[in-house]
Amino acid sequence: MATIAVIGLGNMGGPMAGNLVKAGHDVVGFDLSVAAMEAVKARWVRLAETAHAAVADADVVVTMLPSGKHVVAATAGPDGLFAAARPGTLFIDSSTIDVASARAFHEAAVVAGHQSVDAPVSGGVGGAEGATLTFMVGGTDAAFAAARPLLEAMGKKIVHCGGAGAGQAAKICNNMILGISMIAVSEAFVLGEKLGLSHQALYDVASTSSGQCWSLTTYCPVPGPVPTSPANRDYQPGFAAALMLKDLKLSQEAAGAAGAATALGAAATALYTAFAAEGNEGKDFSGIIEWVRTRADET
Ligand code: NAD
């Protein structure tokens, strides 16, 4: 049993902290939001008055924060959590953040004498609740080995992607595929509608042909063929368009810095920017099919 501090008890961090408790760990949590702190009480997470108090006696610190600037501000510098924790603490950052901030997080952890992994997740709130998340992990072999049993308490697939920042790199590459493929599937259904093809007929063909992909077979953007997809509940998330746009922007930032050509990634970012700007940030990202359909009707 380890003493684990969880910093950031929001939609993801709250249930992840609860699963660490279920695995028998002593979990102490902190969040700037009083509502998030209150909500996690039912999960038997001990609450600390400050982030510093939460990490003071911890063997492991898990951060689950909104973005890179939050992670770097919370951990680095003389007032940060690296300085407040005992040397040799294992830091696991599971937030989705830019690769440059992830590398800065690792560098500051090493300077402070800690072990660190970037370990972003896919699987959403359902995966966080059910401990079925996929973790994409970047860091040394030793840090990965130390983190693995804890990640197994919160997820079902744990992949060591490489050194510092490799987990974040894998996450944004995967989600760039997802954003592009959802638009591709949406365009195909809207074209099919214009050609008089039923949704079910297109689904039956494409789901067993070369157009097959997760956006089609698990998350089909039209109601009917996949009863569990958000299209069947008026595009309630699921995975909100705002989060998809965040990840696409991270992919474009990384592509610019690395000099990679991502023409379709750039196009998907532009389309999700327009979709979100029309008041759809809170809708499931598969709702972009409605936006594609509106554009088709305008032409
Ligand atoms: P959230 O907004 O629900 O939770 C973030 C929490 O961090 C908030 O409660 C906020 O008060 C807290 N916080 C911010 N700064 C803090 C600080 N300095 N100290 C303590 N607490 C602080 O967000 P979420 O949905 O839980 O997502 C967290 C991360 O996981 C994000 O990076 C997101 O991109 C990623 N993610 C989310 C999902 C999803 O479906 N929600 C899926 C995969 C990855």
Side-chain angles (χ1 to χ4, degrees):
M1 185 185 88
T3 298
I4 305 174
V6 180
I7 310 298
L9 301 168
N11 292 323
M12 299 292 288
M16 288 164 70
N19 285 327
L20 291 169
V21 172
K22 281 186 200 159
H25 298 292
D26 174 28
V27 182
V28 52
F30 176 76
D31 195 294
L32 292 175
S33 151
V34 175
M37 295 270 270
E38 282 299 315
V40 90
K41 278 184 181 168
R43 301 182 191 274
W44 301 102
V45 174
R46 287 197 291 126
L47 296 178
E49 292 204 347
T50 64
H52 282 208
V55 307
D57 297 319
D59 306 306
V60 180
V61 177
V62 178
T63 43
M64 196 52 172
L65 300 172
S67 71
K69 67 175 191 287
H70 295 95
V71 172
V72 172
T75 53
D79 298 327
L81 299 180
F82 291 147
R86 295 183 307 213
T89 300
L90 169 64
F91 278 79
I92 300 175
D93 179 41
S94 282
S95 327
T96 301
I97 68 174
D98 58 287
V99 175
S101 294
R103 289 184 178 147
F105 159 84
H106 281 280
E107 278 163 24
V110 168
V111 168
H114 301 304
Q115 286 195 300
S116 55
V117 292
D118 53 293
V121 301
S122 73
V125 177
E129 285 286 355
T132 58
L133 293 168
T134 294
F135 283 90
M136 296 149 259
V137 188
T140 62
D141 289 346
F144 176 71
R148 183 173 197 129
L150 304 166
L151 302 180
E152 281 170 348
M154 300 182 280
K156 73 168 184 200
K157 182 152 193 193
I158 322 292
V159 183
H160 190 193
C161 300
Q168 298 293 351
K171 164 85 186 176
I172 59 176
C173 288
N174 177 74
N175 280 21
M176 188 175 78
I177 297 172
L178 179 62
I180 293 169
S181 69
M182 183 54 80
I183 293 168
V185 171
S186 296
E187 289 187 353
F189 272 104
V190 172
L191 174 60
E193 289 167 6
K194 297 269 176 205
L195 299 176
L197 195 58
S198 75
H199 290 161
Q200 193 64 48
L202 176 55
Y203 179 84
D204 288 346
V205 171
S207 64
T208 54
S209 303
S210 44
Q212 190 276 333
C213 64
W214 188 94
S215 292
L216 177 71
T217 56
T218 303
Y219 229 69
C220 189
V222 295
V226 178
T228 50
S229 79
N232 298 281
R233 46 175 205 271
D234 199 23
Y235 303 100
Q236 294 303 306
F239 186 53
L243 289 173
M244 172 48 77
L245 180 55
K246 171 190 169 181
D247 293 354
L248 284 169
K249 284 182 174 168
L250 289 176
S251 77
Q252 293 312 288
E253 216 177 293
T262 56
L264 291 183
T269 308
L271 264 60
Y272 272 103
T273 299
F275 177 60
E278 290 179 17
N280 297 311
E281 298 103 317
K283 274 197 179 169
D284 188 80
F285 81 110
S286 60
I288 198 152
I289 190 170
E290 294 190 319
W291 189 88
V292 170
R293 194 178 285 121
T294 311
R295 292 302 170 283
D297 289 342
E298 283 171 2
T299 55

